[in-house]
Amino acid sequence: MPITSELRGDGIRVITMEHPPVNALTVQGWFDVAAALDEAAKDLSTHVVVLRAEGRGFNAGVDIKEMQRTTGFDALIGANKGCFAAFKAVYECAVPVIAAVNGFCLGGGVGLVGNADCVVASDDAFFGVPEVNQGALGAATHMARLVPQHLMRTLYFTARTITAAELVQHGSVLEVVPRDRLDDAALKVAGEIASKDTRVIRAAKEALNGIDPIDVNKSYRFEQGFTMELNLAGVSDELRDAFVHEQRAGTEKTRGAE
């Protein structure tokens, strides 16, 4: 299964994403992430969640190849709804969610991390929202929770990435550690939270969401509307086809060099 959930004896629930080769989640994968987080929220034995990944990177966003294999707009609509459900589940999870980020965190990955309560990253981690390259819009809402407004706009328009070390300077990443220490670092913070009275922590999570200046659910949904417009205009399909073609060409070139 690409999404697994394990509740430890200390009240820490570890949710792991593993969907090779790059953790670009299918439509079902996004809904599975949401389901795992919703389960954690309802389980009073869960005091805190660590959201992590196995493989080369934390998350590469939606599975564009799945989208291009599907006729009509079913996959697009499914991805939109799946991402919305997953991001919402992170934000509204009744307990704090700690994102343990390794390698790349792109597109939908930023949506997950931006809605998390705490972020710990490995020293090879980097973040970006390359949506404009594929004719989509989204996750600016969540990138804006990681960096100041003007930097967010620059990253969004250029599809540039930013390293975890740089995000530490903005206060959005708690700490950067070597890759082999990432899980331990995330579990350390999780342990501190799990040791508190979960009734208080759950109340605190709800209170902090209640005083948030931006409604992240409505903000992200607004962004998604422009993605639908670009798809109806045919722009997105053209750019996604180019992306898939480029990926295939790169794979064939790699095979030829072997």
Side-chain angles (χ1 to χ4, degrees):
M1 290 181 61
I3 311 300
T4 59
S5 179
E6 176 190 3
L7 177 61
R8 293 163 35 116
D10 54 6
I12 301 173
R13 183 178 290 273
V14 179
I15 297 175
T16 301
M17 298 176 288
E18 185 174 10
H19 187 64
V22 294
N23 278 329
L25 298 183
T26 62
V27 170
Q28 186 59 53
W30 288 107
F31 282 111
D32 289 345
V33 170
L37 285 154
D38 288 342
E39 177 190 11
K42 295 173 184 176
D43 179 13
L44 296 181
S45 298
T46 299
H47 292 194
V48 62
V49 170
V50 172
L51 181 62
R52 62 181 297 280
E54 285 290 338
R56 292 161 52 191
F58 179 78
N59 188 286
V62 302
D63 187 340
I64 293 177
K65 292 180 180 179
E66 177 191 44
M67 195 171 293
Q68 294 310 94
R69 288 194 303 266
T70 307
T71 58
F73 294 108
D74 287 350
L76 171 67
I77 294 171
N80 270 8
K81 290 185 175 180
C83 285
F84 181 81
F87 302 168
K88 184 173 184 287
V90 173
Y91 185 74
E92 295 184 353
C93 186
V95 298
V97 177
I98 298 170
V101 183
N102 65 293
F104 46 79
C105 179
L106 303 171
V110 170
L112 297 172
V113 171
N115 272 1
D117 299 283
C118 176
V119 185
V120 178
S122 58
D123 52 14
D124 65 344
F126 60 94
F127 305 71
V129 280
E131 267 70 2
V132 295
N133 290 340
Q134 281 86 53
L137 298 177
T141 292
H142 311 94
M143 182 59 87
R145 296 168 69 83
L146 300 176
V147 299
Q149 181 70 206
H150 285 85
L151 179 55
M152 179 275 289
R153 287 171 177 259
T154 300
L155 293 172
Y156 203 74
F157 293 144
T158 62
R160 292 183 185 181
T161 60
I162 187 168
T163 66
E166 291 173 295
L167 290 184
V168 168
Q169 306 305 312
H170 295 291
S172 48
V173 169
L174 176 66
E175 62 178 326
V176 175
V177 298
R179 176 67 183 91
D180 60 1
R181 287 181 47 211
L182 178 59
D183 287 336
D184 288 340
L187 289 171
K188 180 181 178 182
V189 181
E192 292 180 43
I193 297 172
S195 68
K196 312 298 183 186
D197 189 316
T198 189
R199 296 168 297 182
V200 177
I201 294 299
R202 285 170 175 259
K205 175 69 182 276
E206 185 176 353
L208 291 176
N209 281 3
I211 64 171
D212 227 331
I214 295 177
D215 184 328
V216 296
N217 295 327
K218 289 182 179 179
S219 179
Y220 177 57
R221 198 65 174 151
F222 179 79
E223 289 186 75
Q224 288 186 317
F226 290 96
T227 294
M228 293 303 296
E229 288 184 11
L230 288 168
N231 274 273
L232 291 172
V235 175
S236 302
D237 211 37
E238 178 184 330
L239 292 175
R240 284 196 302 268
D241 279 339
F243 173 81
V244 172
H245 177 75
E246 182 180 338
Q247 293 292 305
R248 287 174 180 166
T251 301
E252 292 173 0
K253 183 177 180 181
T254 300
R255 288 175 179 169
E258 292 177 350

